[in-house]
C-alpha cells in the first residue's frame, strides 16, 4: 500500500485495477489496469542419445510456438532433429519462445557414430576343395554372420562351410551388436573348379 509494488506470485494471473489515492487537501484517485500472465514454459523434454543412422525426430517442449536452433535442427518451427545431419558428437540445442513473458531452454543431445561392420575374406572366390574360409573383422567384433541362397556359415566366426554350401554365389552379411548396429555385405563365389 505504501510503495505500490505488486507481489506477482501472491496475486497470480489475472487483470487487476490498481487504485492510487492521494491524502492531501484536495484528495483524488487514479486507476491503472495491470495484467499478470503465467508466461511461457520452454522446458525441453530430454532426448537421445541417438545413433547417426536413426530417423529424424521432432523435439518436444512444454509450450509450443517457439523457435528451435542448433546443429542437426532441420525444421526450426517443428523442432526436427536429424542425427545424420548433426553427425556424431554432443550438440547443444536451444528453444526460444519470444514475447514479453517468453522463455528459453537448452539441452545437449548426443549422437553416436554407427558401428563399423567392416570385414573381408582373403579372396572373392573359392573352389569346393579349398579349406573353409574365415573372415577378418576389422570393424567392431562380436557381431553375427548370415549367408543367403541356402549356404552354411558359422554365425559367430563367419567361417563358410564350403562342402555344405556347394557351388554358387553367396552374400555374407555381418551385423554388429554394438550401441548403433549396422551391417556390411560381401559376396563370395564357390566354384566346383577344374575336373
Amino acid at each position: 500500500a505504501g510503495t505500490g509494488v505488486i507481489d506477482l506470485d501472491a496475486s497470480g494471473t489475472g487483470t487487476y485495477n490498481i487504485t492510487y489515492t492521494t491524502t492531501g487537501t484536495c484528495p483524488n484517485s487514479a486507476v491503472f489496469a495491470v495484467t499478470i500472465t503465467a508466461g511461457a514454459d520452454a522446458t525441453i523434454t530430454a532426448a537421445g542419445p541417438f545413433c547417426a543412422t536413426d530417423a529424424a525426430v521432432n523435439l518436444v517442449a512444454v509450450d509450443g510456438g517457439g523457435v528451435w536452433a542448433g546443429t542437426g535442427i532441420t525444421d526450426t518451427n517443428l523442432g526436427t532433429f536429424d542425427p545424420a545431419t548433426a553427425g556424431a558428437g554432443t550438440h547443444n540445442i536451444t528453444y526460444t519462445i519470444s514475447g514479453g513473458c517468453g522463455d528459453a531452454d537448452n539441452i545437449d543431445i548426443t549422437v553416436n557414430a554407427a558401428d563399423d561392420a567392416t570385414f573381408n575374406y582373403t579372396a572373392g572366390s573359392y573352389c569346393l576343395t579349398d579349406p573353409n574360409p574365415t573372415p577378418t573383422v576389422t570393424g567392431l567384433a562380436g557381431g553375427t554372420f548370415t549367408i543367403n541362397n541356402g549356404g552354411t556359415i558359422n554365425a559367430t566366426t563367419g567361417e563358410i562351410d564350403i562342402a555344405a554350401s556347394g557351388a554358387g554365389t553367396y552374400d555374407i552379411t555381418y551385423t554388429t551388436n554394438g550401441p548403433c548396429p549396422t551391417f556390411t555385405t560381401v559376396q563370395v563365389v564357390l566354384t566346383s573348379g577344374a575336373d
Side-chain angles (χ1 to χ4, degrees):
T3 64
V5 173
I6 302 170
D7 187 329
L8 299 177
D9 289 333
S11 299
T13 60
T15 299
Y16 301 91
N17 289 325
I18 313 301
T19 303
Y20 176 67
T21 303
T22 63
T23 57
T25 307
C26 298
N28 199 0
S29 63
V31 177
F32 187 83
V34 172
T35 300
I36 301 172
T37 60
D41 186 348
T43 302
I44 302 169
T45 302
F50 296 102
C51 293
T53 54
D54 287 345
V57 297
N58 288 339
L59 301 177
V60 177
V62 173
D63 290 336
V67 176
W68 298 85
T71 303
I73 295 294
T74 57
D75 188 316
T76 58
N77 294 318
L78 294 177
T80 306
F81 178 79
D82 186 350
T85 300
T90 300
H91 309 285
N92 188 257
I93 304 300
T94 61
Y95 179 63
T96 305
I97 302 173
S98 60
C101 295
D103 194 20
D105 192 20
N106 70 86
I107 60 169
D108 286 333
I109 296 179
T110 300
V111 177
N112 296 311
D115 294 344
D116 182 356
T118 306
F119 78 102
N120 59 24
Y121 290 89
T122 56
S125 65
Y126 297 91
C127 294
L128 296 182
T129 55
D130 288 338
N132 291 339
T134 301
T136 300
V137 176
T138 55
L140 182 65
T144 303
F145 290 91
T146 57
I147 191 170
N148 71 341
N149 293 337
T152 302
I153 194 168
N154 182 308
T156 303
T157 67
E159 179 183 350
I160 301 170
D161 188 328
I162 291 179
S165 298
T169 300
Y170 299 94
D171 290 333
I172 291 87
T173 300
Y174 175 66
T175 304
T176 63
N177 62 358
C180 293
T182 189
F183 66 90
T184 300
T185 299
V186 169
Q187 192 172 83
V188 171
V189 177
L190 303 181
T191 61
S192 56
D195 189 359

